[in-house]
Amino acid sequence: MQTTVGTNTLTLVQAVTDGMRTMLREKQEVLVMGEDVGKNGGVFRATDGLQAEFGEDRVIDTPLSEAGFTGAAIGMAINGFLPIVEIQFLGFVYPAYEQIMTHASRIRARTMGHYSVPMVIRAPYGAGVRAPEIHSDSVEALFTHMPGIKVVCPSSPYDAKGLLIASIEDPDPVLFMEPMRNYRSSREEVPEDKYTVEIGKGKLLTEGEDVTVIAWGAMVPVAEKAVKQMEEKGVNCDLIDLRTLYPLDQDIIAESVQKTGRTVIVQEAHATSGVANDVISVINDTSFLYQKAPIERVTGFDTPVPFFAYEDHYLPTPERVIKSIEKVVSF
């Protein structure tokens, strides 16, 4: 829907489509590959209309083989193409993990900088949409532990388009995580023209003096609800959307934590070995002596994401976030 000259009001998934369309128009080297991305427009319609506009040679329906088409995309990237691979759900990435870990993330180091792998791996992720087993995983930590690949996770339409274009133009592989819960949950004005959002930079969504709340992806709206309710109780929070999970924006974390002295981190993924732990390490390294209370984590549990009836009990909620904020304030 047109709102003002040069912008459109888009959902997050529409912004992803717009980002791909922008780069497909600009660069002939850009390709889109994956299961059902062509005629069907993708399982979430993120590639809807792209094959009709750019043809079957550039928007390619692949066999049901994540390892196969991811490996093919790696070879294409080494040889001058800019492939965008769609993994239908992040939980489907496991067959392709060997290709990503063994080859995509290592080619630059393996060839001593002579070759790189400029590819994007798009993957819807997360629970809360009543999807079956393996469709709801949040396993970003498998990739943030892997040097050589960047991990990006937007929460809003504007950031989704800008970060996707930046990822396509990045000379190295990028895992581009798309929170399914946010796909159509809100709309935002997004420029029609090309623009980028810098990879590796977080965003301060609200400012406060009392507590730092850190979230990303699908947990940003959850944290926003909690922060708003705490503001009504007289507790004002810095809310940081990390946007990039590897490399982390250590500066925005340290600056906020040194101001507030109290931190709550909201993570959908399992508690053990998650990105929240890396954020805590950043705080310990940069801001330990500024702490007024132990750091609180609000996370998923160390179990597989449960089936529909129990899904809401697994996910972090505004109530759980509020409880942690109150805990660090009253320490």
Side-chain angles (χ1 to χ4, degrees):
M1 179 178 68
Q2 190 80 15
T3 55
T4 59
V5 175
T7 66
N8 289 304
T9 302
L10 303 179
T11 63
L12 192 149
V13 70
Q14 289 172 331
V16 168
T17 308
D18 196 29
M20 286 188 284
R21 182 181 289 111
T22 298
M23 295 308 292
L24 283 161
R25 288 174 176 170
E26 179 178 298
K27 296 185 178 182
Q28 288 294 315
E29 298 87 353
V30 175
L31 308 170
V32 176
M33 304 170 61
E35 299 160 1
D36 298 324
V37 300
K39 185 176 181 179
N40 288 340
V43 67
F44 292 102
R45 302 299 180 260
T47 56
D48 191 31
L50 296 184
Q51 190 178 78
E53 181 174 351
F54 300 102
E56 296 181 4
D57 290 338
R58 297 188 63 204
V59 182
I60 305 166
D61 279 318
T62 66
L64 303 181
S65 174
E66 286 81 7
F69 63 73
T70 301
I74 292 169
M76 296 171 78
I78 293 170
N79 285 280
F81 289 95
L82 299 171
I84 306 167
V85 169
E86 179 182 294
I87 306 293
Q88 283 191 335
F89 297 86
L90 184 59
F92 293 2
V93 79
Y94 306 125
Y97 190 77
E98 188 274 335
Q99 290 289 335
I100 300 167
M101 181 177 69
T102 305
H103 302 295
S105 67
R106 296 172 182 260
I107 291 295
R108 180 181 289 278
R110 183 178 296 156
T111 64
M112 294 186 287
H114 290 287
Y115 293 94
S116 62
V117 184
M119 68 181 291
V120 176
I121 304 163
R122 292 183 41 248
Y125 85 95
V129 297
R130 302 301 188 260
E133 185 185 12
I134 312 298
H135 293 65
S136 303
D137 292 3
S138 300
V139 290
E140 58 268 26
L142 293 178
F143 298 89
T144 59
H145 191 65
M146 186 188 300
I149 183 170
K150 299 178 178 71
V151 181
V152 171
C153 187
S155 68
S156 69
Y158 181 91
D159 285 344
K161 179 178 177 179
L163 282 167
L164 180 56
I165 292 173
S167 299
I168 295 168
E169 293 188 328
D170 197 274
D172 293 301
V174 179
L175 174 65
F176 191 86
M177 296 175 55
E178 300 169 8
M180 290 186 287
R181 290 174 70 186
N182 297 22
Y183 261 161
R184 295 177 174 87
S185 62
S186 65
R187 292 177 177 270
E188 185 177 26
E189 287 196 13
V190 176
E192 291 179 346
D193 293 338
K194 176 184 176 182
Y195 67 94
T196 60
V197 172
E198 185 177 356
I199 294 174
K201 293 294 182 181
K203 183 178 182 180
L204 186 62
L205 300 179
T206 65
E207 292 191 49
E209 301 291 332
D210 301 316
V211 181
T212 297
V213 179
I214 301 172
W216 56 92
M219 292 297 99
V220 171
V222 173
E224 285 180 320
K225 291 178 182 177
V227 166
K228 185 176 181 179
Q229 291 183 49
M230 289 305 299
E231 184 179 356
E232 295 171 356
K233 298 179 180 181
V235 177
N236 297 308
C237 301
D238 268 4
L239 175 56
I240 296 172
D241 180 355
L242 288 179
R243 301 195 294 190
T244 300
L245 306 183
Y246 187 85
L248 285 171
D249 186 348
Q250 299 191 24
D251 291 338
I252 196 172
I253 295 169
E255 182 178 352
S256 177
V257 170
Q258 289 174 18
K259 176 179 67 173
T260 67
R262 303 177 180 91
T263 307
V264 175
I265 307 166
V266 189
Q267 166 185 290
E268 178 174 342
H270 316 302
T272 299
S273 300
V275 171
N277 297 357
D278 293 328
V279 175
I280 292 171
S281 294
V282 170
I283 294 169
N284 284 338
D285 290 344
T286 64
S287 312
F288 179 77
L289 295 179
Y290 293 84
Q291 294 305 292
K292 301 174 183 176
I295 300 167
E296 280 286 306
R297 294 179 303 160
V298 183
T299 73
F301 298 98
D302 286 337
T303 68
V305 179
F307 291 116
F308 310 151
Y310 299 101
E311 197 173 33
D312 290 341
H313 298 286
Y314 172 87
L315 288 166
T317 62
E319 291 72 27
R320 289 176 59 194
V321 178
I322 289 170
K323 185 177 180 180
S324 288
I325 293 174
E326 291 175 337
K327 185 175 178 179
V328 298
V329 169
S330 63
F331 179 79

